[in-house]
Amino acid sequence: MADVLEDSRDKVQENLLANGVDLVTYITRFQWDMAKYPIKQSLKNISEIISKQATQIDNDLKARASAYNNLKGNLQNLERKNAGSLLTRSLADIVKKEDFVLDSEYLITMLVVVPKTNYADWQKEYETLAEMVVPRSTKLLFEDNDSGLFSVTLFRKAIDDFRHKARENKFTVRDFQYNEEEMKADKEEMTRLSTDKKKQFGPLVRWLKVNFSEAFIAWIHIKALRVFVESVLRYGLPVNFQAMLLQPNKKNMKKLREVLSELYKHLDSSAAIIDASMDIPGLNLSQQEYYPYVYYKIDCNLLDFKV
């Protein structure tokens, strides 16, 4: 979403909603979605429904993102050609037809990039860089911060000598042939890419909004499933536990842990002596610490909740 919104990244948060509400509201008012994930089905089936949904979203995202990024990349490449130094940028949008001697069997107009500090040298020397340079034919067509683009007309047979002598004098001859059809095609291609990007932008943002919501909702349901499964495994049947959502201040985390441990240490006395570095068969402590109560963290850039 941030990549697509580009210059409007400040609007990312307002586009990332879950079920039409902000993420904090959705989590704090969470209710199991019976329509999407019927609780009459087995846990395995519910898990598979969520997994298939997430996989489908992921595959669609890859395809849509790839198509959009290719379009965006091609447009940026064309834009880069029309920006930057006179030594490398496209000259098509700078020059005009009247700047050139066209359709001549003997004469050709060349374009030369001259550093601003060398303007005087260029004016003094360009006519003598090779034989058969047309006198007083140079003209300043464009300037950027560092250089100027000059045209100069000479006889075709003098091209190689002119290039060589220009390079010795720190003047850079650009390879450029005035071709109206090619220049028109480049402009049309940029217009087409820009139009296509605008056409894809709206539908892509809508798709991202809808499917972010779907993915986030699925993720929170997975968290709820994990709380349920772990609680049954820990405390047995019949089901007798209560899930709570806590959003502590960071400075109160240690105090909260102490209070929770004191309240629930009777549920699992072994938790008080278990160290996350211990290797206990069947107990995976590598991802998080072990407590006498079931604990999962919901962590994203907007939230830092404990369940």
Side-chain angles (χ1 to χ4, degrees), residues 1 15-21 23 26 30-31 33 35-37 46-47 49-58 60-61 205-223:
M1 180 67 83
N15 282 291
L16 298 183
L17 305 175
N19 233 11
V21 298
L23 307 187
Y26 178 80
F30 173 76
Q31 289 187 324
D33 191 327
K36 281 184 181 173
Y37 314 114
I46 293 173
S47 168
I49 289 170
I50 296 176
S51 178
K52 286 177 182 176
Q53 181 190 16
T55 301
Q56 185 62 52
I57 290 174
D58 190 42
D60 287 353
L61 175 61
V205 169
R206 286 192 292 275
W207 186 92
L208 289 168
K209 286 174 70 172
V210 169
N211 286 277
F212 173 83
S213 175
E214 293 296 315
F216 188 85
I217 289 168
W219 182 50
I220 299 303
H221 279 74
I222 284 285
K223 291 284 189 186

Side-chain angles (χ1 to χ4, degrees), residues 30-136:
F30 173 76
Q31 289 187 324
W32 188 270
D33 191 327
M34 302 288 188
K36 281 184 181 173
Y37 314 114
I39 57 174
K40 290 184 179 179
Q41 296 204 33
S42 68
L43 290 173
K44 181 182 178 183
N45 285 351
I46 293 173
S47 168
E48 287 176 352
I49 289 170
I50 296 176
S51 178
K52 286 177 182 176
Q53 181 190 16
T55 301
Q56 185 62 52
I57 290 174
D58 190 42
N59 290 338
D60 287 353
L61 175 61
K62 286 175 182 174
R64 289 170 184 267
S66 176
Y68 187 78
N69 287 334
N70 285 340
L71 186 62
K72 183 177 168 183
N74 291 337
L75 181 59
Q76 286 174 337
N77 287 337
L78 279 179
E79 288 172 342
R80 270 195 292 270
K81 285 182 182 178
N82 292 326
S85 165
L86 280 171
L87 295 170
T88 55
R89 64 163 292 169
S90 169
L91 304 177
D93 61 332
I94 292 175
V95 298
K96 302 181 181 68
K97 188 175 182 178
E98 52 266 29
D99 296 328
F100 295 83
V101 174
L102 300 173
D103 304 321
S104 171
E105 185 178 347
Y106 302 105
L107 294 174
I108 184 170
T109 299
M110 304 194 72
L111 300 178
V112 184
V113 178
V114 179
K116 284 189 172 180
T117 53
N118 293 18
Y119 277 11
D121 292 341
W122 167 256
Q123 293 289 355
K124 186 169 65 176
E125 297 174 9
Y126 81 91
E127 293 178 3
T128 60
L129 291 177
E131 293 182 0
M132 304 187 193
V133 175
V134 177
R136 300 184 182 180

Side-chain angles (χ1 to χ4, degrees), residues 239-286:
V239 172
N240 183 21
F241 64 86
Q242 175 66 50
M244 302 294 291
L245 193 68
L246 302 177
Q247 187 183 16
N249 294 324
K250 285 188 177 180
K251 63 182 181 181
N252 294 332
M253 286 284 292
K254 186 177 179 183
K255 178 66 176 175
L256 176 61
R257 286 285 183 214
E258 291 171 357
V259 171
L260 290 174
S261 293
E262 187 63 30
L263 280 171
Y264 301 117
K265 63 184 179 182
H266 64 283
L267 295 175
D268 189 348
S269 57
S270 62
I273 58 169
I274 287 180
D275 189 311
S277 63
M278 294 171 63
D279 184 15
I280 302 174
L283 188 61
N284 180 14
L285 296 175
S286 60

